[in-house]
Amino acid sequence: MRIPCAEISLAGCAVKILFFAPHAAVWVHAFPEALIAESLAQSGHTIVYVSCGEALQQVCIPMNAFGLDHLSPVHARQKICRLCGEQKRLLKQEFGFAGCDLADLLEPADQVQAKQMVDALSFEDSLALTMEGVPVGKLALYETILNRKKTSIEFDASDQEEYRAWLQGAVTTLIAGKRLFEREQPECIVVYNSFYSVNHVMCRLANTYKVPHYFLHAGGNLSRRLHTLMVGREEAYRYLRCLVERWQQFRDRPCAPRTLREITDHFLVLFRGQSVFSYSASTSKSAFNLRKRFGIGADQKVLVATMSSNDERLAANVIGVLPNSSTALFPRQVDWISSLARFVGSRQDLFLVIRVHPRDFPNKREGVKSEQARLLEQAFRHLPSNVCVNWPGDEISLYDLANETSVFLNAWSSAGKEMSLLGIPVVIYAPDLIFYPSDLNYVGTTEHEFVEKIDQALQDGWSIERSRATYRWLAIEYEYGLINIAESYSPQDGQTRSVLQRVLKRVQRLVMPMSQQIWDCRKRAERIKACEVVDRLFRSRAATPLDVGANTSIPHISPEEECRALRSELCRIGKALFGSGLSHKPDTLAARLEALD
């Protein structure tokens, strides 16, 4: 029996919350979103659930998710529209949501006028397009920059054609959204991923009405990514900054063995290299000899520079959710690498491996080669003899490199925290560009200081205390700051399925196409356990769950208990990476982790 609305409400004002949900075809977004909406309804809030209704037929996020774009055949795009409609109707029926479609808010001439407006504008005028105080032209750039892995807004004719398709959807959403706000007068809106252009248009429109907006997004732990949700005010980068601001509160608090184990599970998924969210190749099945592969001398200390893809940062900067990085020590990553190559070229006791980010090249998630990749291919033609490049085509896992690397050098890649968890020192030059506490790494914000920090990191070497601190940070990022929905939704997202399981799943989708979605709806819990935290978050208009007491249930663990569990988890990692019962070279990560057993 479902819990009636308002039965569990807390003190404070219930509000009218608009869930803007135009992407129902992406079930792993739409179903968790519905769980949060239902939780808020049970707490006494009024929910208005607004979907698409085929208003975005040119191109949309679900079409991209199913491998389609603005040039795909009409019948293929219409198929996604039908799926979106079917899943929307299922959610509204099972959850009892009321609300309209975007299409219901549009007049017959609106779509025609939106297309005519977009077609009539030059590319430069399109970028400057602002409607109702919303920079629609810039917000619509997001998907094209990512899809085409752009490093600048210099678009050729093909780029511009895709951009115009997204811009038409953004303009259409703005027209319908204005009518929606005037009709419903919501006191808050919620979207799944506020970076998507149509969602971002609605959030910026909310700002003009002085209505707060919240985003949802799956958690970062790949072993249980869909079991948890980020729920925060405005957007994901602000949410992560807020978590970092809480670091001092948690850095000295020991982690429970269960929490450490779940963080390790995330890394085991990364090591397999099978998740679309893991860009690194899987770890080597046999012993990997880094020195032999790259011709590194036995007495040379190995540095690895982990580069990042530029398109994601450009997209975030263009849509206004990240500041311009012009204040960083190196304006471009290629400038950073050039500086490193000069430094290492003068130090024959060192060897530098430049690891180009796999996202810059075609990979299991995207089939496009980035503009940065072409730039790097030109820039890396002439390097010192003790500097080499690890290209994605080498099929070398980041974690194979880790075994004999003395120090990692990082721009803003998540590798900075991953290597810290393994106890390896990491040096960064732009602390403002990372989304984890900078004190997990060494920080050098001038060229002289950066070199000094490299030498200090080489001297300090591997440290289990570095691992401990990183586990404690990831406890915040992967558990304490999230909303757990596992009692209602816990698909095996991070686990490897057998061939038989994959075949059976495919047959199920063909024979009973909506069976899994119906099953998810029918087996959900009466309410999620985090219902009260979600309620407090929206009543207080707080930024993150940590601001409303989400951490009150964290168990108190002694340092000794944490230490035993930490050693055990690092041993698990060592066995997963390097096997067990083997003889490992001294002064390697494999030997250090084995010694903890």
Side-chain angles (χ1 to χ4, degrees):
M1 179 178 176
R2 294 281 152 208
I3 296 177
C5 293
E7 184 175 314
I8 57 170
S9 65
L10 305 174
C13 295
V15 295
K16 187 176 188 179
I17 305 174
L18 191 159
F19 272 74
F20 182 61
H23 305 140
V26 185
W27 187 252
V28 295
H29 295 183
F31 185 68
E33 182 177 49
L35 291 173
I36 297 299
E38 179 180 53
S39 175
L40 288 165
Q42 290 170 338
S43 297
H45 302 279
T46 300
I47 302 301
V48 179
Y49 185 84
V50 177
S51 42
C52 176
E54 302 189 26
L56 306 173
Q57 294 184 35
Q58 188 69 18
V59 69
C60 66
I61 291 297
M63 291 176 193
N64 271 191
F66 283 89
L68 306 180
D69 62 18
H70 63 294
L71 297 176
S72 298
V74 173
H75 69 85
R77 286 181 280 142
Q78 288 176 337
K79 184 177 179 181
I80 303 304
C81 288
R82 288 194 295 273
L83 174 63
C84 203
E86 289 169 2
Q87 295 190 168
K88 169 204 70 177
R89 286 187 288 273
L90 175 65
L91 289 169
K92 293 181 79 169
Q93 175 185 330
E94 293 291 332
F95 286 84
F97 296 148
C100 64
D101 291 336
L102 275 183
D104 299 331
L105 298 158
L106 295 168
E107 301 294 337
D110 288 333
Q111 293 276 30
V112 175
Q113 290 173 357
K115 187 176 189 312
Q116 289 175 343
M117 176 194 298
V118 170
D119 290 345
L121 293 171
S122 68
F123 178 60
E124 291 73 20
D125 289 341
S126 296
L127 297 179
L129 179 62
T130 297
M131 301 172 64
E132 303 296 332
V134 176
V136 179
K138 288 186 176 178
L139 301 186
L141 284 165
Y142 183 74
E143 288 85 358
T144 305
I145 290 173
L146 295 183
N147 289 343
R148 296 180 177 247
K149 299 184 180 178
K150 305 292 292 182
T151 59
S152 70
I153 315 178
E154 294 180 6
F155 281 18
D156 62 22
S158 177
D159 299 334
Q160 291 183 32
E161 184 180 3
E162 177 177 349
Y163 165 66
R164 290 182 188 281
W166 289 104
L167 179 58
Q168 183 179 335
V171 169
T172 300
T173 300
L174 190 286
I175 294 169
K178 185 173 186 297
R179 293 169 185 162
L180 178 64
F181 271 89
E182 290 173 351
R183 188 176 83 178
E184 296 293 344
Q185 298 184 1
E187 297 164 276
C188 180
I189 80 163
V190 179
V191 299
Y192 194 105
N193 192 336
S194 59
F195 297 161
Y196 295 153
S197 56
V198 295
N199 289 355
H200 205 163
V201 165
M202 288 295 289
C203 291
R204 291 294 191 94
L205 189 59
N207 285 345
T208 69
Y209 287 93
K210 295 182 170 51
V211 171
H213 55 88
Y214 282 77
F215 81 97
L216 310 176
H217 198 285
N221 185 328
L222 295 183
S223 70
R224 52 200 300 270
R225 191 178 72 89
L226 299 176
H227 304 194
T228 58
L229 279 173
M230 289 186 266
V231 183
R233 185 89 178 256
E234 295 185 8
E235 40 84 10
Y237 292 144
R238 181 193 179 196
Y239 163 91
L240 289 170
R241 296 284 191 215
C242 289
L243 295 192
V244 172
E245 289 173 5
R246 290 274 187 166
W247 171 232
Q248 297 304 318
Q249 177 184 344
F250 293 95
R251 62 175 299 172
D252 296 324
R253 180 180 293 191
C255 288
R258 176 191 58 78
T259 299
L260 298 177
R261 185 169 57 252
E262 290 180 350
I263 294 169
T264 300
D265 290 343
H266 163 77
F267 280 81
L268 299 187
V269 174
L270 286 178
F271 300 159
R272 291 199 295 268
Q274 294 176 337
S275 169
V276 296
F277 300 101
S278 170
Y279 286 101
S280 176
S282 59
T283 51
S284 177
K285 303 301 180 187
S286 57
F288 176 77
N289 191 324
L290 173 65
R291 294 182 181 276
K292 182 179 179 181
R293 178 65 182 265
F294 292 112
I296 304 172
D299 295 330
Q300 288 179 306
K301 296 284 188 181
V302 179
L303 309 177
V304 172
T306 50
M307 300 190 70
S308 301
S309 58
N310 270 345
D311 60 322
E312 292 174 315
R313 182 158 292 277
L314 172 66
N317 175 251
V318 165
I319 66 174
V321 297
L322 275 186
N324 194 306
S325 60
S326 59
T327 57
L329 172 58
F330 301 102
R332 302 178 304 165
Q333 286 185 92
V334 70
D335 301 322
W336 170 53
I337 295 298
S338 297
S339 175
L340 282 176
R342 287 193 300 271
F343 161 65
V344 174
S346 68
R347 291 274 299 267
Q348 291 306 305
D349 60 320
L350 304 176
F351 194 100
L352 174 65
V353 178
I354 303 165
R355 182 173 174 84
V356 175
H357 197 285
R359 180 178 157 77
D360 279 326
F361 286 77
N363 55 74
K364 55 182 171 282
R365 191 175 177 189
E366 306 103 1
V368 179
K369 185 176 182 178
S370 76
E371 292 179 345
Q372 175 167 268
R374 297 182 180 90
L375 174 65
L376 297 180
E377 286 171 335
Q378 294 289 327
F380 294 165
R381 285 184 175 179
H382 304 290
L383 294 170
S385 60
N386 60 339
V387 177
C388 71
V389 182
N390 169 207
W391 298 103
D394 296 339
E395 289 292 314
I396 298 173
S397 170
L398 175 64
Y399 307 99
D400 285 332
L401 296 179
N403 190 33
E404 293 195 65
T405 297
S406 296
V407 175
F408 274 84
L409 313 171
N410 189 42
W412 53 80
S413 168
S414 60
K417 62 185 177 185
E418 293 165 12
M419 295 304 107
S420 290
L421 182 129
L422 298 179
I424 302 171
V426 178
V427 184
I428 60 174
Y429 67 85
D432 293 341
L433 300 184
I434 60 171
F435 293 99
Y436 57 87
S438 61
D439 63 3
L440 297 179
N441 299 160
Y442 296 79
V443 180
T445 56
T446 67
E447 288 197 54
H448 177 72
E449 187 182 23
F450 192 77
V451 169
E452 282 189 334
K453 294 298 183 180
I454 292 174
D455 283 326
Q456 183 184 343
L458 286 167
Q459 182 177 347
D460 292 347
W462 184 87
S463 168
I464 193 173
E465 292 307 315
R466 187 176 296 115
S467 296
R468 186 194 310 275
T470 310
Y471 265 104
R472 288 179 180 178
W473 160 251
L474 291 177
I476 302 171
E477 186 179 344
Y478 292 166
E479 182 180 341
Y480 306 159
L482 299 177
I483 297 298
N484 193 317
I485 57 171
E487 64 272 18
S488 286
Y489 194 50
S490 53
Q492 305 306 305
D493 184 54
Q495 297 185 13
T496 304
R497 291 194 181 103
S498 67
V499 174
L500 177 60
Q501 287 173 319
R502 292 198 297 269
V503 170
L504 290 175
K505 195 72 176 177
R506 189 172 300 171
V507 170
Q508 180 189 33
R509 286 197 295 264
L510 290 172
V511 177
M512 300 176 290
M514 293 283 285
S515 60
Q516 184 61 57
Q517 291 88 331
I518 294 170
W519 174 249
D520 287 339
C521 290
R522 302 283 169 83
K523 74 177 180 66
R524 73 188 191 275
E526 288 188 354
R527 64 162 169 152
I528 60 173
K529 293 177 182 177
C531 190
E532 292 186 5
V533 173
V534 173
D535 182 30
R536 289 197 296 270
L537 182 64
F538 281 82
R539 286 178 188 270
S540 64
R541 298 188 174 184
T544 77
L546 287 180
D547 298 328
V548 291
N551 59 326
T552 55
S553 61
I554 299 172
H556 290 280
I557 303 297
S558 69
E560 294 75 21
E561 187 176 1
E562 181 196 43
C563 193
R564 289 192 297 271
L566 175 64
R567 295 173 71 92
S568 175
E569 293 308 315
L570 289 173
C571 285
R572 279 181 71 201
I573 286 177
K575 290 172 183 176
L577 285 175
F578 309 115
S580 57
L582 302 175
S583 177
H584 299 298
K585 289 170 59 177
D587 295 326
T588 60
L589 180 63
R592 292 185 178 100
L593 297 183
E594 185 180 52
L596 297 173
D597 200 346

